[in-house]
Amino acid sequence: MTRNTPSRSSGSSGKGARKGAATPGKVARPRWGKPVRPAATDRDGFTAQTAPLAPGEPAPARPAEADTGKPKADRTQKTDRAQKAERTQKGERSKDGAPKGDRAQGSRAQASRTPGERPRKQAVRPPKALRTAPRAARPETPTGDPLAGQRYEVEVGPVAHGGGHCVARHEGRVLFVRHALPGEKVVALVTEGTSTSRFLRADAVEILEPAKERIAPPCPFSGPGKCGGCDWQHVTPGGQRKLKGQVLTEQLAKLAGLTPAEAGWDGSVEPVGGKLPAGQVPTWRTRVQYAVDQETGKVGLRKHRSHDVQPVDRCLIAAEGVTELGIEARDWPGIASVEVIAASGSSDRQVVLTPRPGAQLPLVELDKPVSIARVDDQGDIHRVHGRSFVRERATGRTWRVSNGGFWQIHPEAPDTLVDAVLDGLDPQWGENALDLYCGVGLFAGALADRVGEEGAVLGIESSKQAVADARHNLAALDNVRIECDRVETLLPRTGITATDLIVLDPPRSGAGRETVAHLVGLEARRIAYVACDPAALARDLAFFREGGYRPVSLRAFDLFPMTHHFECVTILEPIGK
């Protein structure tokens, strides 16, 4: 397999302007070149020109027949904000049952996602008459006698993946119990399920025999039937990391067939930001989305697996930049949600308001200077006052992040993850690298600095706004190019047959078998996989092993204390190396 290697520059080590250097606002082409490729298609094979019109959609005005050579926007793509609004209106839930639009509970898209998860655009389905595959059957209405409200005395077993619950059994039936710890004896109150359900959901409402890691929850809004944003307020910081390590161990064994040693992992989940004593809550969350109670106008957070609002006067894990705005102290009539963004490394603060249908924006007067934006009925964001972006600071650079776009929400997460990726990949001068699902360019910028002017970095990201920000953020680096499309669509069309390094930070669902198969065919020296979900990571590691790659190191970071979420960085190499 031939490497599509660029010609080497004979210039100096970056001093002075060179031919082909990027101008402000424009990223120069990398040395891989840019082969002509066909227009982007959606999952049904339609291009922007051939996609059928949706019912009631006006025909677009067609420009003069001219081909600029640039891929045209696919009108079957929805904006990230539009998808979020549609999901919120439909009350769609994620696999663990949390409403997908509720970032304050850790459901990701970030901005409406689980911590660490980036938004992915999805193609709009064509009209029914044009679909070739049958629609999946809807789940049947639960049968049997309702068991909600029943109390069972149970012994709690191991922690389970997702949702912050542990496994228990009563008369042979599985219970997923929140607010419990392995080894405890508790009274479990059933919250969901019937006499014919395969499993029941429950809360531990009485602790008969506590575990040694149990503490009194510091937050007054934590507990059965209350706020669903945190999972482990009742556990010591060390106990939380132990639980997360057990989840990762179980997922690696179950889905990848790997022991911690075989994965290159020492079994620990590393604290970030220093260890805290029991009972002290880290204020790490720089982005919080509050729900607004329709009747009272008070802000709060969603209860677990519910659209009900738990009013709060303060979120203990919210960063100081969020708390200082005084969001909880005022009423928000006519508003469905209030998202607060407090940038790290700058004084930028942004509030994004989602009005209820037909309501007007209130006059916003907060305790600190802040930019205001609103979300319209189509899910698009519009600037009302101040900037449309915030400035984040990481890896020695300032990063523009617009319209509530994806950025790690723990203030130390960007530097922590970049350091782990660079330590694992060990980029060399002159190497070529791919940054897949690149967001606003965090890893691409770090790689470009290490491979230097003799190397090249290609970033691929599906969010148009994130791509615009990445090109702005990395405009001074002429060895970087950022392309806008889905990874699985664009990567095969680039003409790249091999590369030295790959870093991928996929959405919560993972990269998938098809994308992994393409990556292993590029014969990279090393691959860095950044994962926010241990199950998706384990599944993809199994796919990598099928393609001849094995993990040589794995690190887990507790970037989301008090929740069940954590982040992993895995380094893979060819098995025969």
Side-chain angles (χ1 to χ4, degrees), residues 419-507:
D419 289 345
V421 166
L422 294 183
D423 288 346
L425 291 181
D426 189 24
Q428 301 297 308
W429 183 269
E431 288 189 315
N432 295 334
L434 295 174
D435 180 10
L436 308 180
Y437 318 94
C438 70
V440 299
L442 180 67
F443 295 115
L447 288 168
D449 290 338
R450 294 286 288 270
V451 302
E453 62 181 10
E454 297 292 319
V457 179
L458 172 65
I460 300 178
E461 167 60 45
S462 67
S463 168
K464 293 180 180 179
Q465 185 59 66
V467 167
D469 284 341
R471 290 172 175 169
H472 171 87
N473 295 332
L474 304 177
L477 302 175
D478 68 338
N479 60 344
V480 177
R481 184 172 85 235
I482 307 295
E483 290 286 350
C484 184
D485 209 333
R486 291 170 294 191
V487 169
E488 62 271 22
T489 300
L490 178 59
L491 188 57
R493 298 174 175 172
T494 60
I496 298 172
T497 57
T499 189
D500 298 299
L501 303 170
I502 299 172
V503 56
L504 64 155
D505 185 4

Side-chain angles (χ1 to χ4, degrees), residues 326-468:
I327 299 297
E328 303 93 336
R330 62 158 294 161
D331 296 338
W332 298 89
I335 299 297
S337 69
V338 181
E339 180 189 358
V340 185
I341 301 170
S344 302
S346 80
S347 60
D348 291 353
R349 306 289 182 263
Q350 186 178 44
V351 171
V352 182
L353 303 176
T354 303
R356 297 189 183 277
Q360 299 295 320
L361 285 181
L363 179 64
V364 179
E365 296 181 355
L366 297 174
D367 296 342
K368 297 285 184 178
V370 65
S371 298
I372 304 294
R374 68 175 178 88
V375 181
D376 65 19
D377 294 339
Q378 286 71 46
D380 295 321
I381 188 170
H382 303 274
R383 184 180 68 87
V384 175
H385 170 74
R387 296 188 179 96
S388 62
F389 60 87
V390 296
R391 295 165 297 178
E392 303 280 359
R393 186 73 182 171
T395 67
R397 282 192 175 91
T398 297
W399 304 86
R400 186 183 76 180
V401 184
S402 300
N403 296 344
F406 174 77
W407 184 258
Q408 291 286 348
I409 57 178
H410 191 296
E412 297 187 38
D415 285 310
T416 298
L417 297 176
V418 167
D419 289 345
V421 166
L422 294 183
D423 288 346
L425 291 181
D426 189 24
Q428 301 297 308
W429 183 269
E431 288 189 315
N432 295 334
L434 295 174
D435 180 10
L436 308 180
Y437 318 94
C438 70
V440 299
L442 180 67
F443 295 115
L447 288 168
D449 290 338
R450 294 286 288 270
V451 302
E453 62 181 10
E454 297 292 319
V457 179
L458 172 65
I460 300 178
E461 167 60 45
S462 67
S463 168
K464 293 180 180 179
Q465 185 59 66
V467 167

Side-chain angles (χ1 to χ4, degrees), residues 52-333:
L53 296 178
E57 179 183 2
R62 297 196 175 275
E65 295 293 331
D67 186 2
T68 63
K70 297 181 180 180
K72 298 179 176 59
D74 187 347
R75 68 166 172 265
T76 63
Q77 296 281 348
K78 281 189 178 182
T79 65
D80 297 335
R81 288 275 176 179
Q83 293 180 63
K84 173 200 161 190
E86 182 177 293
R87 289 195 301 267
T88 302
Q89 291 173 2
K90 292 181 178 179
E92 183 180 344
R93 294 175 180 270
S94 62
K95 289 185 178 179
D96 65 358
K100 285 189 177 179
D102 183 16
R103 275 163 290 186
Q105 292 188 55
S107 52
R108 194 101 137 328
Q110 173 81 31
S112 57
R113 52 194 172 273
T114 26
E117 182 185 357
R118 64 183 67 259
R120 313 301 333 151
K121 290 190 176 182
Q122 304 270 336
V124 178
R125 299 176 72 188
K128 184 176 181 179
L130 297 174
R131 298 177 194 151
T132 57
R135 178 179 297 180
R138 294 184 179 181
E140 297 180 0
T141 303
T143 59
D145 298 327
L147 296 180
Q150 295 292 318
R151 293 173 177 251
Y152 303 131
E153 185 176 310
V154 297
E155 292 187 2
V156 182
V159 63
H161 167 56
H165 49 250
C166 297
V167 179
R169 292 182 182 273
H170 177 75
E171 297 180 350
R173 179 176 291 160
V174 171
L175 280 74
F176 291 118
V177 186
R178 281 174 56 84
H179 311 289
L181 288 173
E184 291 186 329
K185 181 178 288 188
V186 305
V187 174
L189 174 68
V190 177
T191 56
E192 294 181 38
T194 71
S195 58
T196 60
S197 299
R198 292 185 299 108
F199 61 86
L200 305 176
R201 296 185 183 274
D203 287 338
V205 294
E206 185 178 349
I207 311 302
L208 305 177
E209 295 180 8
K212 65 178 182 180
E213 294 89 359
R214 176 174 287 276
I215 60 173
C219 178
F221 307 110
S222 174
K226 298 182 181 179
C227 173
C230 291
D231 306 299
W232 303 120
Q233 285 271 348
H234 59 287
V235 192
T236 63
Q240 295 178 39
R241 295 193 296 273
K242 181 180 177 181
L243 292 170
K244 296 177 184 184
Q246 292 170 358
V247 168
L248 180 55
T249 299
E250 190 265 346
Q251 294 299 304
L252 288 173
K254 177 181 177 182
L255 300 176
L258 295 171
T259 65
E262 290 170 335
W265 177 43
D266 64 5
S268 69
V269 177
E270 304 173 37
V272 177
K275 293 184 178 181
L276 293 174
Q280 184 173 343
V281 179
T283 55
W284 56 270
R285 194 173 187 106
T286 60
R287 297 181 175 211
V288 177
Q289 182 174 3
Y290 296 94
V292 181
D293 185 278
Q294 186 171 2
E295 295 182 359
T296 66
K298 299 291 186 181
V299 299
L301 303 174
R302 300 286 185 187
K303 297 180 180 180
H304 181 63
R305 294 178 59 82
S306 172
H307 291 291
D308 295 339
V309 178
Q310 168 66 62
V312 300
D313 54 23
R314 182 189 174 191
C315 175
L316 291 188
I317 64 173
E320 182 179 350
V322 173
T323 303
E324 68 184 8
L325 295 181
I327 299 297
E328 303 93 336
R330 62 158 294 161
D331 296 338
W332 298 89

